[in-house]
Amino acid sequence: MHIVDFLSGSVAGACGVAVGFPLDTVKVRIQTQKQFTGVYQCAVETLSKEGVHGFFKGMSLPLTTVSLTSSVVFGTYRNCLQCMKQARGADWSPNTKLEVFLAGMAGGVAQTSVMSPGDIVKVRLQCQTESMREGARTLRPKYHGAVHCLLSIVKDEGFRGLYRGALPLVLRDGPSYATYFLTYATVSEWMLGGSNKKLHWSGVLLAGGVAGMAGWTVATPMDVIKARLQMDGARGPKQYKGFFHCIVETVRVEGAAVFFRSLGINCLRAFPVNMVVFLTYEVLSGFLRTGPESVDSPNIEWE
């Protein structure tokens, strides 16, 4: 088992959260609250009403959970690649593109079980536009932090409430991580040109950024449904009876284009986040591995 990949993935995920959280907050608000009509308007209004802190609401729990989920994603992915190579008796040959795709999908699905509770807390806090700075006559925030939000969801909705939106989360992360890792492997292979040279660090940044954009292009429609189900009933009466009803009502009221309304900001956020994620992962993996590596991964060239 490749333990190194679990550790490297964990640190890489934490770094990615820190880089991308402000844009993630804007994305979630655009997806779930109709008063926000675009990225710029949402960012300006958030800054004016809540200050810089408004962009980082709910980050403490995701910083922990994403470290765990990223560890699961990368660790599952790398170990699945190794298992598939061993199953076909080709330990020292490159993985096929199909194996990369399937291993990525396995990693995406595996991490949803640990991601869902932290994700719903993140979404609820990000969509809480009330500020503690505002006067006594204004509406006060419902949640006072990540732990209070977590306990409130359990109290009001039971433990099942922590997994609201789990189905679209699985349908989002399975295909998106499959696309994510396949894109990274393909772009890296293209830049190496079939040679055995190490990939330059700038190539790792480019491949990671492109992979992040490709993954989020696939993920965005289900991301919209996930966020709406997670927020349903939190700020008023419930609107949706379930997963399929949410899809039908969203299309009926706002049209199919709403599924891609946040695609631009997703890609804008995904590029720098996944540049950092893959560079951190590759650097740490290179330092921590002690034996010969039998699973394909471009090593970094710094010169």
Side-chain angles (χ1 to χ4, degrees):
M1 179 178 286
H2 295 265
I3 302 297
V4 164
D5 298 290
F6 286 98
L7 179 59
S8 300
S10 176
V11 177
C15 292
V17 170
V19 171
F21 206 84
L23 284 176
D24 186 67
T25 297
V26 174
K27 176 209 72 171
V28 169
R29 292 186 174 190
I30 290 173
Q31 288 177 338
T32 60
Q33 300 180 42
K34 295 179 182 179
Q35 71 263 34
F36 299 120
T37 57
V39 175
Y40 180 76
Q41 181 259 344
C42 180
V44 169
E45 190 167 330
T46 299
L47 184 62
S48 63
K49 288 186 175 181
E50 305 165 60
V52 175
H53 169 72
F55 294 102
F56 293 92
K57 283 183 175 179
M59 191 178 84
S60 57
L61 190 60
L63 196 61
T64 303
T65 58
V66 171
S67 294
L68 179 59
T69 58
S70 184
S71 170
V72 173
V73 168
F74 279 93
T76 302
Y77 168 71
R78 299 280 293 177
N79 282 283
C80 281
L81 286 181
Q82 183 64 20
C83 287
M84 285 188 279
K85 291 174 76 169
Q86 290 175 347
R88 61 184 171 90
D91 284 359
W92 297 99
S93 66
N95 282 104
T96 66
K97 293 296 190 293
L98 178 60
E99 288 173 343
V100 171
F101 185 86
L102 293 176
M105 181 173 289
V109 172
Q111 57 96 41
T112 57
S113 61
V114 292
M115 180 181 186
S116 189
D119 191 62
I120 192 170
V121 169
K122 173 185 77 71
V123 169
R124 292 278 178 94
L125 290 174
Q126 286 176 322
C127 291
Q128 183 171 265
T129 56
E130 300 84 12
S131 175
M132 297 294 290
R133 303 186 312 168
E134 296 174 352
R137 295 182 180 180
T138 61
L139 188 64
R140 307 300 289 170
K142 180 178 180 180
Y143 306 116
H144 305 302
V147 175
H148 180 253
C149 180
L150 184 72
L151 295 176
S152 297
I153 293 172
V154 173
K155 179 182 176 182
D156 297 338
E157 306 169 44
F159 283 100
R160 289 185 61 186
L162 296 176
Y163 288 89
R164 181 183 291 186
L167 176 58
L169 185 63
V170 170
L171 296 176
R172 182 195 78 173
D173 286 353
S176 68
Y177 273 106
T179 304
Y180 178 67
F181 284 110
L182 179 61
T183 303
Y184 181 73
T186 302
V187 174
S188 299
E189 183 180 287
W190 173 73
M191 286 189 291
L192 288 171
S195 70
N196 292 323
K197 295 179 180 178
K198 295 180 180 180
L199 189 65
H200 193 265
W201 64 268
S202 60
V204 173
L205 293 177
L206 177 61
V210 172
M213 293 176 68
W216 272 105
T217 300
V218 174
T220 295
M222 280 297 110
D223 191 53
V224 173
I225 297 300
K226 174 196 71 72
R228 294 193 174 201
L229 287 173
Q230 289 174 328
M231 280 301 299
D232 191 30
R235 301 170 65 89
K238 292 190 68 173
Q239 302 179 55
Y240 309 118
K241 298 175 182 178
F243 173 68
F244 293 106
H245 183 250
C246 181
I247 295 175
V248 171
E249 280 297 295
T250 298
V251 173
R252 184 182 68 82
V253 175
E254 301 174 64
V258 72
F259 292 123
F260 293 96
R261 191 167 72 178
S262 57
L263 178 60
I265 192 169
N266 275 342
C267 290
L268 179 65
R269 166 180 157 271
F271 197 88
V273 166
N274 289 285
M275 286 170 60
V276 172
V277 166
F278 269 107
L279 184 63
T280 304
Y281 170 77
E282 295 288 6
V283 170
L284 279 179
S285 297
F287 278 125
L288 294 174
R289 285 194 182 104
T290 55
E293 181 55 49
S294 59
V295 178
D296 300 308
S297 174
N299 295 313
I300 298 178
E301 176 64 61
W302 293 101
E303 297 298 330

